[in-house]
Each structure stands twice: as C-alpha cells, then as structure tokens.
C-alpha cells in the first residue's frame, strides 16, 4: 500500500492567491488566443465531443445539441427540440454497415468478437451521435443528415454510455443498466429496484463483465452472459469495497487494470482478473477538516498509455505511474478553486487544466525557465505523456523518487464562470465550455 502518495492539499476547496503561481501578461510560450465565442446554448455547457478533424459537438443543460465547424466556429446544426432536460452523456459510434464493411476487408478482425471491452476500430468516422438525458430518453442522431434516427425509451435517467463488442452494441446506465444494438434495439435490461444512487460510470472489462460506479463508496460488478446467439443477460456478481467515501471517477487503465477514485482523495488500482485491489494512491488518514471539506477530492481521472493516471486532486494535479508505483508529476496548487477537467493540447506538449475559478491554465515540463524555449522531446515520442515529459526525462524519472513540478506557461481568461470541460482539436487548437453557457474556441 502506498500511503499519502500525491498531494498535500489545502484545508478548503479554495486556496489563497498567494499559494497559486502567477504569470505575467507576457506569455511567449502560450500560442493560444481567443478565437471565437460560441453562444448558442441557453444553459450550462458540460459536454464536448470531437466528431472528426473538421467538426465537434457540444451539449448543454438546456437539452440542446449543436454541431460546430472546428475551423470557423460556424454552427452546422442546432437541435434544441428533442431533449427537454440536461444532456448527461454523449457517445460516437460507426454504423453497423461501416463495421461490417471493415471486417470484410480485414481478415484478422472478427466483427463483434467475444471481448466486451473491445473498442470500435480506429480510423472509422462515426455515423451515430448518441445522446442520453435525465429526461429518460436516448437520442440517436444521423451525423451526416443532422437529424434524429431513433428515440430510445430508457425507462429512467441515464448518466453514462459506453461502446461494447467493437461498437456493435452499447451500454447505457443510470437508474438501470441496459444494452442496445448499434441500431438502437434494446437487447437486455437490468433493473436496480433497491438502488439509492444512479450509476454515473460504466467500465467494461475482460471476462464479459461491467464494473459500475455510483455515488456510493463501493463498486458493483455485473456479468454479461450470452445464453443464445441473439440474447444477453446482465446479472449481479459482486461488490468491491475499499473506498471510504463516495466514488467520483472510474477508468480502465489497461486490459489488466482499472482505477477508481473517491471523495476522500483515495485512488485504488484494481486487477481486472482477480478484482482485488493492487495498490492505493493518495490515501490520507485525515481527509476532512473541521468544516467537513474534502480537500483531496479527485474530480477528474485520466488513464494514459496503459500505465499512467493523471488525477485532478482538489486545486492541484498529479500523474502516477501505476507500474512502478510512484508519483512522477505533481503540482499542489495549480488553481484557486478545484480543477474540473484536464487535457493535453498542442500535440501533447502542454497540459491544459480548467477550474471552478473560471481560468484555463497551461503547464509544461522544462528544465529551463517557463519563458524560455520549450525543451525538445524525442522525435520518436508517440504519446502525449512522452511528448509532455520528453522520452529521456520519462525514463530517468522512473528511477527518481522526486516528482517533476511542471511550470505554468500560460493562462486563458475567457470564461466568466466555472470552466466545465476542454476538448483538444489539434492542430487547430482546443475548445472549452462552461457554466457561462459559452463554448470558446482557442
């Protein structure tokens, strides 16, 4: 067990300005400028998804779904008359026709396969945009036509969706768990009549199992059985219980590992084979202060390269190496308020963080001052982590006991409220959205 491997957070959800790094107006390494304010939404915008190199979509609490042109910010399609409550999840899938066509040209790929966690093939442009809402419906949109293909009645609120079996099916979860065909036909449904909290995350793992998280301190595992060729059953298997507080995030790290994080800051690494905890990161004995604030709460968790965990912990962030069990990057006070979301931008050369304080901040790893030229990375760097840290630095710091402290190289102040999410649109830049109802292209 690794105890307190991570951030020593502040005593409250916000920190004083003096504890947070400042930056001058002169930001030579910040190549982003405010390009355009997109203000077609009428309520908080929480979701962004990239369709392809030229289009992306945003979804708001007003139930609207808007397709945008990446280069110009021009709205390609505005749909505001199907969902009447908040859009809670978005999923992009290729059509079954595209999947069959790919399988017929690739003899090494069997369509569907027998592994529930297998993702849709890379390189396929999505045909379906699927949106779920707290209005108890799921809408399937034909992206090219810009209109609805089918309305699915979920029978309860839906909080998340994930593709299954290479995208030939997908799972929706919230009040219940359901599996749908690629064309929107209900295959099976698993009610949760005694549950007191909706599922907010589903992760499919090997062995045809689904691991689900809700606002409870335990994970639940379900088996997906196939008694006949055209039928599936979802049955409860077991509960996983090392967390002390409600679980906030759940991600697949690799086929062999998944990770969960909770309100108290604890991050647990699990084996997908034995379903036993392998390691614990960022564990504190005293994680609440006298005001009952959770200073170490993990608000966002990202798995990278099958071994790294990037975690937004309170007002700061850390990157953990799950294989060698160490913290390789750490910034204790990155923002004044809690970080909501993180993403690599500019081809992975910078880490972008956004916060409840309305700021977007850019971070880089360099042995020189933040105002100097960026350090060169290896030309063989093939992942955002390698690009961000530099391949040589990455190898050397696996042997070091001290985490790297990234430098603040830029700050973007375009939102007037909390920034909810960011979306990398390289090489054009990135998009952000927030509680001020805006989508901003940078």
């Amino acid at each position: 067990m690794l105890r307190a491997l991570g951030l020593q957070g502040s005593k409250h959800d916000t920190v004083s300005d003096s504890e947070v790094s400042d930056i001058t107006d002169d930001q030579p390494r910040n190549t982003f400028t405010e390009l355009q304010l997109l203000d077609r939404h009428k309520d908080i915008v929480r979701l962004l998804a990239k369709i392809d190199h030229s289009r992306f979509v945003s979804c708001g609490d007003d139930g609207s779904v808007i397709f945008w042109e990446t280069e110009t910010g021009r709205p390609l399609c505005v749909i505001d008359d199907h969902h009447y409550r908040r859009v809670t999840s978005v999923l992009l899938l290729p059509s079954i026709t595209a999947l069959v066509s790919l399988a017929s040209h690739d003899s090494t790929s069997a369509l569907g396969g027998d592994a529930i966690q297998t993702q849709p093939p890379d390189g396929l442009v999505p045909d379906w945009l699927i949106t779920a809402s707290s209005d108890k419906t799921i809408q399937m949109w034909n992206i090219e036509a810009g209109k609805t293909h089918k309305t699915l009645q979920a029978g309860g609120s839906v909080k998340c969706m994930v593709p299954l079996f290479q995208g030939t099916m997908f799972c929706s979860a919230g009040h219940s768990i359901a599996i749908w065909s690629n064309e929107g036909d209900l295959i099976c449904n698993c009610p949760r009549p005694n549950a007191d909290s909706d599922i907010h995350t589903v992760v499919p793992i090997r062995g045809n199992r689904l691991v689900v998280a809700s606002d409870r301190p335990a994970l639940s595992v379900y088996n997906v059985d196939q008694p006949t060729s055209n039928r599936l059953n979802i049955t409860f298997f077991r509960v996983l219980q090392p967390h002390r507080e409600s679980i906030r995030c759940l991600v697949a790290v690799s086929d062999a590992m998944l990770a969960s994080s909770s309100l108290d800051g604890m991050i647990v690494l699990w084996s997908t084979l034995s379903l036993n905890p392998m390691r614990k990161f960022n564990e504190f004995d005293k994680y609440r202060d006298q005001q009952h604030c959770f200073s170490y709460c993990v608000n966002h968790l990202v798995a990278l390269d099958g071994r790294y965990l990037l975690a937004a912990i309170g007002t700061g962030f850390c990157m953990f190496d799950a294989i060698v069990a160490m913290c390789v990057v750490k910034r204790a006070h990155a923002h004044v308020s809690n970080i909501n979301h993180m993403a690599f931008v500019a081809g992975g050369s910078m880490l972008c963080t956004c916060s409840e304080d309305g700021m977007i901040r850019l971070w880089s790893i360099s042995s020189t001052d933040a105002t100097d030229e960026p350090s060169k990375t290896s030309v063989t760097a093939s992942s955002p982590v390698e690009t961000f840290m530099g391949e040589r630095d990455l190898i050397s710091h696996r042997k070091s006991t001290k985490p790297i402290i990234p430098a603040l190289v830029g700050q973007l102040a375009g939102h007037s409220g909390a920034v909810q999410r960011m979306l990398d649109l390289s090489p054009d830049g990135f998009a952000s959205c927030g509680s001020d109802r805006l989508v901003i292209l940078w």
Side-chain angles (χ1 to χ4, degrees):
M1 179 187 298
L2 301 178
R3 300 181 65 84
L5 178 57
L7 292 181
Q8 294 292 335
S10 64
K11 294 182 179 180
H12 304 284
D13 289 340
T14 60
V15 298
S16 66
D17 291 343
S18 62
E19 295 179 275
V20 180
S21 296
D22 199 4
I23 191 167
T24 64
D25 291 336
D26 184 22
Q27 304 176 31
R29 292 178 61 181
N30 178 9
T31 59
F32 297 101
T33 57
E34 185 176 317
L35 293 180
Q36 192 168 357
L37 302 178
L38 313 181
D39 59 356
R40 298 295 294 269
H41 288 283
K42 299 176 182 178
D43 207 336
I44 299 172
V45 187
R46 301 180 193 270
L47 299 175
L48 298 171
K50 185 176 181 178
I51 298 173
D52 53 30
H53 70 280
S54 63
R55 296 171 297 176
F56 71 99
V57 65
S58 61
C59 305
D61 282 11
D62 58 358
S64 61
V65 177
I66 303 178
F67 297 82
W68 305 94
E69 187 175 61
T70 300
E71 185 175 0
T72 65
R74 180 172 62 93
L76 301 172
C77 182
V78 179
I79 305 169
D80 56 8
D81 58 353
H82 285 72
H83 289 303
Y84 63 90
R85 289 187 179 174
R86 171 185 168 185
V87 179
T88 53
S89 181
V90 60
L91 179 66
L92 293 161
L93 285 181
S95 67
I96 195 68
T97 302
L99 290 169
V100 169
S101 176
L102 179 67
S104 66
H105 290 86
D106 185 0
S107 58
T108 64
S109 177
L111 182 61
D114 58 0
I116 195 172
Q117 75 274 17
T118 309
Q119 296 295 302
D122 293 332
L124 281 181
V125 176
D127 299 289
W128 303 133
L129 171 73
I130 307 173
T131 57
S133 171
S134 52
D135 63 9
K136 304 181 182 181
T137 67
I138 299 171
Q139 299 286 347
M140 293 188 70
W141 311 93
N142 184 309
I143 293 174
E144 292 304 321
K147 62 182 181 180
T148 185
H149 167 72
K150 186 179 288 188
T151 299
L152 315 180
Q153 299 299 327
S157 63
V158 179
K159 298 293 180 64
C160 58
M161 297 182 293
V162 292
L164 305 177
F165 300 109
Q166 292 184 320
T168 58
M169 304 177 194
F170 70 93
C171 173
S172 66
H175 182 71
S176 62
I177 307 171
I179 295 179
W180 310 80
S181 75
N182 182 282
E183 294 289 335
D185 298 318
L186 180 63
I187 297 175
C188 61
N189 183 62
C190 179
R192 302 168 59 245
N194 299 320
D196 58 359
S197 178
D198 285 348
I199 294 169
H200 60 70
T201 312
V202 175
V203 172
I205 62 172
R206 60 184 178 180
N208 282 3
R209 287 174 175 157
L210 300 173
V211 182
V212 306
S214 64
D215 291 331
R216 305 295 300 168
L219 299 170
S220 296
V221 184
Y222 290 82
N223 287 328
V224 180
D225 304 312
Q226 190 169 12
T228 63
S229 59
N230 59 353
R231 183 183 167 195
L232 293 175
N233 287 334
I234 305 172
T235 55
F236 175 77
F237 178 58
R238 59 174 289 191
V239 170
L240 310 178
Q241 286 187 309
H243 284 283
R244 298 170 294 187
E245 298 290 341
S246 63
I247 295 171
R248 302 298 297 270
C249 306
L250 176 65
V251 295
V253 181
S254 65
D255 274 351
M257 298 181 291
L258 72 154
S260 56
S261 63
S262 51
L263 192 63
D264 59 348
M266 184 191 298
I267 301 172
V268 181
L269 191 68
W270 302 85
S271 165
T272 58
L273 182 62
S274 66
L275 296 178
N276 291 323
M278 301 167 62
R279 293 189 179 97
K280 295 180 182 179
F281 301 94
N282 212 53
E283 185 180 10
F284 301 96
D285 292 330
K286 296 181 180 180
Y287 55 88
R288 285 189 292 188
D289 59 19
Q290 294 180 350
Q291 288 75 33
H292 299 284
C293 293
F294 293 89
S295 305
Y296 314 112
C297 175
V298 180
N299 296 308
H300 188 214
L301 189 64
V302 184
L304 302 160
D305 295 357
R307 68 180 295 165
Y308 299 102
L309 287 169
L310 180 62
I313 306 173
T315 62
F317 61 87
C318 283
M319 185 189 295
F320 301 97
D321 187 329
I323 301 298
V324 299
M326 65 181 295
C327 178
V328 295
V329 175
K330 177 173 121 176
R331 188 78 197 197
H333 302 303
H335 285 264
V336 174
S337 299
N338 283 347
I339 296 174
N340 287 329
H341 196 257
M342 303 172 293
F344 286 107
V345 297
S349 62
M350 287 185 282
L351 175 66
C352 197
T353 59
C354 66
S355 167
E356 292 285 337
D357 60 19
M359 292 295 176
I360 297 173
R361 307 194 110 190
L362 303 170
W363 307 89
S364 179
I365 289 178
S366 174
S367 58
T368 58
D369 183 78
T371 59
D372 293 338
E373 289 296 317
S375 58
K376 294 185 181 296
T377 57
S378 169
V379 294
T380 61
S382 58
S383 73
V385 174
E386 289 179 352
T387 304
F388 181 63
M389 298 188 66
E391 193 171 14
R392 291 182 182 178
D393 288 342
L394 188 60
I395 294 172
S396 64
H397 278 90
R398 286 174 185 166
K399 303 174 183 178
S400 173
T401 58
K402 293 183 179 180
I404 303 170
I405 301 176
L408 176 64
V409 297
Q411 180 169 281
L412 307 174
H415 287 280
S416 60
V419 187
Q420 300 291 336
R421 187 176 291 261
M422 297 168 300
L423 177 67
D424 182 31
L425 298 172
S426 295
D428 296 305
F430 71 94
S432 62
C433 62
S435 58
D436 55 5
R437 310 177 184 180
L438 291 177
V439 176
I440 300 182
L441 285 178
W442 304 91

